[in-house]
Amino acid sequence: MGKVPALWSLCLLLNGFVWLFVMIGSEQPWQKAEAVHSEYYCPWQCLTFVQMWPGSFCVALATRFECVLPKNANSWTIHGLWPSDITACCRYWYLFPSDLTDLMPDLNWHWPSFINLSNFLFWEKEWHKHGTCGGCVETLNSPSKYFRAALDLRTKYNIDSAFQKARIVPSCNCSYQLSSFQAALQPTLGDQYELQYVTDIQERQILVQIKISLSANFSTGCIQSGSHDGSPYKPCQAQENIFYFPPNLENPRDPCP
Ligand SMILES: *[C@@H]1O[C@H](CO)[C@@H](O)[C@H](O)[C@H]1NC(C)=O
Ligand SMILES: *[C@@H]1O[C@H](CO)[C@@H](O)[C@H](O)[C@H]1NC(C)=O
Ligand SMILES: *[C@@H]1O[C@H](CO)[C@@H](O)[C@H](O)[C@H]1NC(C)=O
């Protein structure tokens, strides 16, 4: 099984009742226990690395939140790094600002909150919901490794430069075919990724987020079944052109009226 990180082991202990019950309920308890245990040791196969476009984030933002776009909002930012099909693995594994001291300037720049929630509270939410589930692999087994990995992935899978190379620029009055985006992204992202859209009040399809499917070693191409329950973002449709709006700091909820 290799070396199990200490904090991850602690989580297994605290969450241990879950697989104890699976063991008791199975017909061949020890065989089953072995299977369940190794699955529990690292319960996911793919990671989803999610990047967000600030120009359209607030278009579908519920009115109960304030939209707070940073003044420098003109590049793709990180939404999160999500081990697939599992969340909230270890509620006792806390995130402290001191874990992120060295990374703070880069995180503030590339992983900002766009609502009236501090950047740190956003990172803390992502850490509890998703980061704690990464602890079973050596490269993600501490808060600083997890957040640094996300920053490195943003550099490696850089949407801004992929679009620039293909001359895809934000615009209010030009839209793009899905195939143009795909042609621009394919060299960097391969083919296991998803473009997502929101609709504005004029019913236009607007690019908002890109989800890249990665293996545990951070290479592209991990195959997972997409599930879209509850998300306001939907996979982009080829039948209609897609808009890529420039950020509008004065009117972020309706950037191109
Ligand atoms: C965010 O803004 C909304 C709307 O103005 C307000 O109701 C809410 O209390 C604010 N939340 C925080 C955490 O400041
Ligand atoms: C298209 O929009 C850009 C800004 O996004 C503006 O500079 C340009 O003048 C517009 N072109 C037309 C033909 O309206
Ligand atoms: C990364 O992991 C995938 C899936 O396990 C594997 O197919 C691939 O060869 C690995 N890539 C590298 C560079 O190790």
Side-chain angles (χ1 to χ4, degrees), residues 170-174 246 256:
S171 166
C172 282
N173 43 30
C174 303
C256 293

Side-chain angles (χ1 to χ4, degrees), residues 124-140:
E124 190 179 51
K125 262 180 85 200
E126 289 292 314
W127 168 253
H128 274 130
K129 190 164 175 196
H130 303 286
T132 55
C133 298
C136 51
V137 297
E138 203 273 330
T139 45
L140 296 174

